[in-house]
């Protein structure tokens, strides 16, 4: 009888020792973050690209692409508080009739009480060439009457994954009659 009990105890200890490392392995498996190699995501060489195109803000006409969805607060005289939702065409040359390369989708909002400075949040969705379907995300401050406005590029998707860099916006033309603005964008991004 005594020998049976000790045999049982020994096998229990053996089982405990045997399963202990497995328990540790399982615990590691359930961790939700781990370091991986760039190769695992097929990320090769980091590239630097310069995009140049023209952004058209069309607020009037039969097919406006920029629509005020929140009106400015009457309390402020400079338009503070308005929000425009945009799906603006982006073309290769300054003419709206030139080749469409992307759409700029997002919104801009008047975020300064002192001057006309916009908070811009938009995705450039490419519709042409190698980058068709890929996107660049821009988020920044746009004091529209300054000659050059610099805004950060905070990310990208598709071929532009890990995109980061900056955009420089320069007003090319502004039609007071139609309210249509054409802005040249030069965007410098590193990506894979
Ligand atoms: C861009 O991609 C879309 C969706 O895959 C496709 O329908 C369209 O023809 C492509 N455009 C060009 C110019 O390759």
């Amino acid at each position: 009888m005594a020998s049976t009990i000790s045999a049982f105890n020994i096998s229990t200890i053996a089982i405990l020792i045997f399963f202990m490392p497995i328990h540790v392995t399982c615990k590691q498996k359930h961790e939700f973050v781990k370091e991986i190699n760039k190769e695992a995501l097929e990320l090769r060489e980091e590239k630097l690209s310069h995009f140049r195109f023209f952004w058209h803000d069309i607020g009037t006409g039969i097919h406006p692409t920029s629509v005020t969805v929140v009106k400015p607060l009457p309390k402020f005289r400079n338009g503070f508080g308005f929000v425009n939702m945009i799906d603006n065409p982006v073309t290769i040359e300054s003419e709206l009739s030139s080749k469409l390369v992307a759409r700029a989708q997002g919104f801009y909002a008047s975020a300064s009480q002192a001057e006309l400075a916009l908070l811009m949040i938009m995705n450039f969705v490419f519709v042409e060439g190698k980058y068709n379907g890929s996107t660049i995300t821009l988020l920044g401050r746009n004091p529209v009457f300054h000659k050059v406005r610099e805004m950060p590029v905070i990310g990208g998707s598709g071929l532009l994954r890990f995109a980061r860099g900056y955009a420089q916006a320069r007003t090319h033309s502004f039609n007071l009659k139609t309210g249509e603005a054409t802005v040249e964008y030069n965007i410098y991004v590193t990506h894979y």
Side-chain angles (χ1 to χ4, degrees), residues 127-129 132-133:
V127 296
E128 187 51 51
N132 186 13

Coordinates of all heavy atoms in Angstrom, one line a residue, residues 127-129 132-133, ligand 1:
V127 N -5.9 57.3 -58.0 CA -6.7 56.5 -58.9 C -6.0 56.3 -60.2 O -6.6 55.8 -61.2 CB -8.0 57.3 -59.2 CG1 -8.9 57.5 -58.0 CG2 -7.8 58.7 -59.9
E128 N -4.7 56.5 -60.2 CA -3.9 56.4 -61.5 C -2.6 55.8 -61.2 O -1.9 56.0 -60.2 CB -3.8 57.9 -62.0 CG -3.1 58.0 -63.3 CD -3.8 57.2 -64.4 OE1 -5.1 57.2 -64.5 OE2 -3.1 56.4 -65.1
G129 N -2.2 55.0 -62.2 CA -0.8 54.4 -62.3 C -0.5 53.5 -61.2 O -1.3 52.8 -60.6
N132 N -2.4 53.6 -57.8 CA -3.8 53.4 -57.9 C -4.3 52.6 -56.7 O -3.9 51.4 -56.5 CB -4.2 52.7 -59.2 CG -5.7 52.6 -59.4 OD1 -6.5 53.3 -58.7 ND2 -6.1 51.8 -60.4
G133 N -5.2 53.1 -55.9 CA -5.8 52.4 -54.7 C -5.0 52.6 -53.4 O -5.5 52.4 -52.4
Ligands
LIG1 C1 -7.6 51.7 -60.5 O1 -8.1 50.6 -59.8 C2 -9.5 50.4 -59.9 C3 -9.9 49.4 -58.9 O2 -9.1 48.3 -58.8 C4 -9.8 50.0 -61.3 O3 -11.2 49.8 -61.5 C5 -9.3 51.1 -62.3 O4 -9.4 50.7 -63.6 C6 -7.8 51.4 -62.0 N1 -7.4 52.6 -62.8 C7 -6.3 52.6 -63.5 C8 -6.1 53.9 -64.3 O5 -5.5 51.7 -63.5

